[in-house]
Amino acid sequence: PARNAATGFAVGTKGYIATGYDATKKDYLNDCWQYDPATNSWKEMASIPDGTDGTNIYGKRYYALSFGIGQYGYLGTGYNDNYQKDFWKFDPSDGTWTQLRDMSDSSDESYDDDYNIVRTNGVALVIDGAVYLACGESGGVRSDTWKYYPTTDLWEKVAKFKGTARSATVAFSNGERGFVATG
């Protein structure tokens, strides 16, 4: 369906669009579509699983964050009447989604005691094999920045974004440096 507030990522030679909001049905989406520029065609992929963790409904959302790194796509954050804390890895080779560690302090373990990553309208930059999440909003605009390590599935808080706190920015990287503009 037509949508707004979707997110997109690339893996290999294909692009992916996922989640968003269907204004006609007034519903959040959790579907995922693959675009193949070689054939100029779209293919529906597996949706992000829907469920609940007892306090939060997950899966469907808009204004999520996504990125592709290596041979996988990743998707998390966003909003669907609650800020989303779940985080997913997409494997294009078999079309499956795997739930990773939450992006908030939601376990009894110590690794996430300082996690306060949930937000909407954040941006992700892939630099030197790691991912940097910056900006966005959750109750106000944010300037905090987090670094993600795909090999350990852990986030580390790093130096704040040096510009003014902002949301709904554009961002890109050349693999060695990241750039954030507008918002």
Side-chain angles (χ1 to χ4, degrees):
R3 69 194 62 218
N4 63 31
T7 188
F9 59 92
V11 178
T13 62
K14 296 183 173 78
Y16 298 85
I17 299 293
T19 68
Y21 187 76
D22 180 342
T24 304
K25 293 182 180 178
K26 298 189 181 338
D27 194 18
Y28 301 104
L29 301 169
N30 65 325
D31 58 345
C32 178
W33 293 83
Q34 176 192 77
Y35 177 70
D36 185 346
T39 60
N40 190 29
S41 62
W42 289 92
K43 175 182 174 184
E44 187 170 12
M45 305 301 286
S47 295
I48 300 158
D50 266 339
T52 181
D53 64 6
T55 61
N56 196 25
I57 297 170
Y58 60 83
K60 294 183 174 188
R61 70 195 70 211
Y62 70 166
Y63 296 121
L65 172 99
S66 65
F67 56 89
I69 186 169
Q71 54 196 343
Y72 301 106
Y74 295 82
L75 186 143
T77 71
Y79 192 81
N80 71 2
D81 297 328
N82 291 294
Y83 288 100
Q84 296 303 291
K85 60 186 177 187
D86 56 324
F87 189 53
W88 298 87
K89 178 171 79 172
F90 177 71
D91 185 345
S93 70
D94 62 10
T96 59
W97 290 94
T98 302
Q99 190 166 10
L100 302 173
R101 299 178 200 224
D102 283 349
M103 299 176 76
S104 68
D105 181 10
S106 59
S107 79
D108 292 334
E109 297 181 42
S110 62
Y111 74 87
D112 63 357
D113 288 351
D114 295 323
Y115 277 20
N116 181 16
I117 305 170
V118 296
R119 67 194 68 207
T120 63
N121 290 309
V123 293
L125 302 152
V126 178
I127 303 170
D128 291 333
V131 178
Y132 294 83
L133 179 155
C135 302
E137 59 188 275
S138 57
V141 292
R142 300 182 64 159
S143 62
D144 59 321
T145 302
W146 293 81
K147 184 176 183 179
Y148 179 69
Y149 301 93
T151 55
T152 62
D153 188 27
L154 292 172
W155 293 88
E156 172 188 11
K157 193 169 189 177
V158 294
K160 285 185 174 187
F161 173 66
K162 301 228 185 290
T164 305
R166 61 190 73 195
S167 178
T169 65
V170 295
F172 63 92
S173 74
N174 64 8
E176 296 174 6
R177 294 182 64 192
F179 302 87
V180 176
T182 71

